[in-house]
Amino acid sequence: QVQLVESGGGLVQAGGSLRLSCAASGGFWSRPVTGWFRQGPGKERDFVAAINWSGTYTTYADSVKGRFTLSRDNVEKTVYLQMNSLKPEDTAVYYCAAAPRESEVVATYDYWGQGTQVTVSS
């Protein structure tokens, strides 16, 4: 079992920044890839970014490249998503998830956090 807890969401004006955190516990070593996904109202859950614990794999969706940055703290078992230059279309519930291999596909991720709301006002 892997437990994931997100934090850091909130309300921000367009152009602002937020940093999301995803803290892992339990058998997280069995799931070396942590991904971030988001789901807007009435929309499907979309891939945002992913990273592995060794640092050899980092990938971003085209819509966030150059604005969002992943980092990790292996001691604290936490992955961070720094979000800059936020836009109203970034408004969504953001989820972190864990996967056994590198992937941008929702179905590959079998452990999920509860989600954190990000709202960007225009």
Side-chain angles (χ1 to χ4, degrees):
Q1 288 284 345
V2 178
Q3 292 81 44
L4 302 170
V5 179
E6 303 102 332
S7 61
L11 173 64
V12 65
Q13 288 187 333
S17 299
L18 283 173
R19 189 178 78 158
L20 305 184
S21 301
C22 175
S25 60
F28 65 92
W29 58 86
S30 68
R31 296 296 186 268
V33 175
T34 300
W36 285 94
F37 294 80
R38 64 187 182 186
Q39 189 166 17
K43 297 182 179 180
E44 294 185 350
R45 192 168 295 188
D46 292 330
F47 172 78
V48 175
I51 188 171
N52 65 1
W53 289 105
S54 65
T56 58
Y57 169 73
T58 307
T59 186
Y60 299 90
D62 288 343
S63 58
V64 306
K65 279 181 182 176
R67 299 189 298 124
F68 291 12
T69 303
L70 281 167
S71 62
R72 72 203 183 282
D73 183 329
N74 289 349
V75 173
E76 296 297 326
K77 301 183 287 294
T78 300
V79 171
Y80 302 98
L81 182 66
Q82 178 67 43
M83 305 187 297
N84 299 329
S85 302
L86 283 162
K87 305 174 181 180
E89 50 264 43
D90 293 318
T91 294
V93 177
Y94 282 71
Y95 299 90
C96 71
R101 60 186 183 275
E102 300 166 2
S103 175
E104 301 180 10
V105 177
V106 169
T108 307
Y109 291 77
D110 50 4
Y111 291 97
W112 292 82
Q114 81 287 355
T116 185
Q117 176 71 46
V118 171
T119 303
V120 184
S121 63
S122 57

